[in-house]
Amino acid sequence: MMKLNKRMMLFIGLGVLSSTASAQIGIGVNNPGSTNAVEINATEKVVIDKTGKIGVGVAAPKMAIDLRNGINGSMAIGMTNQTAAEAGAGAVRYNPNPAIGVQGYIEYSDGTVWVPILPYGKPRIVVMAEKTNNNSTVFETGLWPMGDYTDGIPGRSSAYLTSWTEKLDSDSGQPRTNFNPSTGEFIAPRAGVYFVTFTFALAPSQVNTSFGQNQTEAIWEVRNSSNAVIQRIKTNNGYPQDTGNAPNAVIVGSASTASLYLNAGDKLRPFVWINVSWDPDKRPLLNTGGYNVLTIVEQ
């Protein structure tokens, strides 16, 4: 009988190891079907191929993790307190905090912020603001010189309404800065259809004029990224009747509601034009709250 020395035993061991490495590998699988993968669990068929791709119920995964088995291919995603920068660009998480229209939503990291993935039917951009002061800016040649005013709306002059109180400026429930409450200007971050409305009311006073027809106009103005006027929309012109002398005071105002297509970078801003006085004086707004408001909702 031949004796085996240490060198011969080493060669035999290497041969057995080499034979095992080239054969099928199965964990909980009696007869794995692939020589190029690790198979786990014969029932569910979890496969790790030689390139590191994982298939769950998928014999030949094509992605890093492939769940497309045609029956139960869903994937569960958990929560994390990491910042988007800590998680890194491409990370995905579930955010359980309620937003507008939903109780929770999926977000992905762009490397800087967590970006919501929008559910079907959920509003995207929502802006709400209220105005309770008399600040305005005449921006075109009219009866009053161009410039800023703080004591009322100049008569017979195109005047932006400025110094708004922002109630909400969000994109799918996340705070944004698309609306500038100081100027009243909204800049569309992406192309789309936006439903917009704003109203204003003048403080109770007499309505009389000897310079033409009484008129109050609420107007939306759209400018492109080069600041050129694209369109102006007024949907409700008020033509109040003369009230005569004091104390015949009434509230007058107007509203403008429209659906607009805006390109990314387009600027949207409300302005007014009024002619309700005997003289070309300025008229204060009704600033008790709820009269001078605007809303912008992306459709």
Side-chain angles (χ1 to χ4, degrees):
M1 180 172 58
M2 180 177 65
K3 294 182 178 181
L4 299 177
N5 59 32
K6 293 181 179 180
R7 181 174 297 179
M8 294 175 67
M9 292 176 65
L10 176 62
F11 279 125
I12 293 173
L14 290 173
V16 171
L17 180 62
S18 175
S19 175
T20 302
S22 63
Q24 298 95 327
I25 299 175
I27 301 175
V29 181
N30 292 327
N31 297 300
S34 173
T35 60
N36 297 316
V38 176
E39 296 183 12
I40 306 170
N41 189 328
T43 303
E44 298 296 336
K45 183 75 75 173
V46 178
V47 174
I48 305 173
D49 72 11
K50 63 180 180 180
T51 67
K53 295 185 179 69
I54 299 174
V56 179
V58 179
K62 297 181 179 180
M63 304 296 292
I65 299 178
D66 200 332
L67 308 177
R68 295 171 291 187
N69 59 21
I71 301 174
N72 294 312
S74 61
M75 177 174 61
I77 298 176
M79 300 166 282
T80 179
N81 291 325
Q82 288 181 305
T83 66
E86 290 171 340
V92 179
R93 75 174 183 182
Y94 174 70
N95 188 334
N97 297 315
I100 298 173
V102 296
Q103 294 301 309
Y105 47 94
I106 302 299
E107 295 178 308
Y108 70 89
S109 167
D110 66 2
T112 303
V113 298
W114 288 104
V115 181
I117 299 174
L118 306 173
Y120 174 79
K122 176 184 172 187
R124 293 183 174 182
I125 295 168
V126 179
V127 173
M128 296 180 180
E130 182 181 37
K131 183 174 172 59
T132 56
N133 58 66
N134 294 312
N135 294 1
S136 65
T137 299
V138 174
F139 63 94
E140 289 181 335
T141 302
L143 187 63
W144 284 80
M146 289 187 288
D148 297 329
Y149 296 85
T150 60
D151 55 348
I153 308 301
R156 297 198 295 277
S157 303
S158 296
Y160 290 129
L161 297 184
T162 58
S163 300
W164 293 80
T165 298
E166 181 182 293
K167 301 297 184 179
L168 181 66
D169 183 358
S170 72
D171 188 347
S172 304
Q174 300 299 302
R176 293 292 184 263
T177 57
N178 299 315
F179 178 71
N180 184 336
S182 177
T183 63
E185 182 178 78
F186 169 80
I187 300 179
R190 55 180 171 261
V193 176
Y194 294 80
F195 179 78
V196 301
T197 184
F198 99 90
T199 64
F200 80 94
L202 301 177
S205 187
Q206 292 74 49
V207 177
N208 296 276
T209 178
S210 58
F211 299 101
Q213 192 174 40
N214 301 333
Q215 194 167 349
T216 58
E217 297 181 355
I219 307 166
W220 282 109
E221 178 185 78
V222 180
R223 293 177 180 263
N224 61 21
S225 56
S226 299
N227 215 38
V229 175
I230 300 174
Q231 58 180 325
R232 287 176 175 170
I233 305 96
K234 46 188 175 184
T235 58
N236 180 16
N237 294 335
Y239 300 98
Q241 183 178 354
D242 286 1
T243 61
N245 295 324
N248 299 324
V250 295
I251 299 172
V252 298
S254 188
S256 180
T257 301
S259 289
L260 306 173
Y261 181 83
L262 301 178
N263 290 303
D266 282 353
K267 304 171 184 179
L268 180 68
R269 198 169 180 181
F271 76 92
V272 301
W273 195 96
I274 64 172
N275 182 32
V276 292
S277 301
W278 272 311
D279 54 38
D281 201 1
K282 297 185 288 295
R283 281 293 183 96
L285 294 169
L286 183 54
N287 290 316
T288 56
Y291 287 95
N292 313 306
V293 296
L294 66 80
T295 302
I296 302 168
V297 179
E298 184 184 14
Q299 300 299 286

